Amino acid sequence: MKMSTPLLKTHLAYFYKTRVGIGISTALLVACVALITHLTVTAWLHPSTPLHGTTILIDAGHGGQDGGCTGPGGITEGELTLDIALKTGALLEQAGCTIIYTRTDDNGLVAPDGSWSKQSDMHARGEIIKNSGADIVLSLHMNSFPTRQSGAQVFIQQPEREGARQLAEALQQTIRESLMPANKRLVKSGDYYVLRMAPGLGVLVECGFLSNPEEAIMLSDPTWQDKMALAICTGLTRYLATIAPESPPHSAFQSIY
């Protein structure tokens, strides 16, 4: 069908205005996101936030020859704990924390002679943790069980150190509220080598069950891992705010939560 000149001009004008409008809207959206990001990062770096100046050691459980438990498709605990560890560390660094890792790649920790064994790996982790001077040690793991189980759970060392249970409960609560509202698991205590070696407080976070197919999909999802990292940071902030009355009762982590 041949379009008349006036009608053609009308369509072209509408098209032009629509495209310009979309362009302006997109530009405004990008500008708003950039501004929010700038303000959020600025807030994280502000020295009055509870996390600022804290030294945190992050231990990505297993790795390399010791993959830990395995989920559907062969994904290993060691791979997933590393993903979440690095994401968590990146956020905490933006908040002004000093971050120490037991590992930053998917390799186990070897003995001085270059050999590897589970015993030498654990000994090396223990030495890094013991000599770190960290205020908080955060050890990340994935759970597994023969029968169907689900939910993240936080563990602390027995005998309990002052403040450890409060820290663990802040993490457990934040993870439940943000990611797993049906999770009824509670903080538990036991004897864990990496926590025993901690110079300060230590918590072990089982992020979920790789043996649960549905939960394994979540644990492997980068977006879900981002949310877990943010939940951990928010839980740490909640705890530190309770022991630092001069700090604001919330942080940038909670404001974007």
Side-chain angles (χ1 to χ4, degrees), residues 14-31:
Y14 175 77
F15 175 77
Y16 174 76
K17 290 179 181 178
T18 302
R19 290 297 298 272
V20 170
I22 291 173
I24 293 173
S25 298
T26 302
L28 287 173
L29 178 60
V30 170

Side-chain angles (χ1 to χ4, degrees), residues 19 39 72 85 104 117 134-135 154 161 168 184 197 206 208 211 213 242:
R19 290 297 298 272
L39 292 175
T104 55
S117 68
D135 300 302
V154 185
R161 300 180 185 181
K184 304 302 181 185
M197 302 303 288
E206 294 279 4
S211 53
T242 65

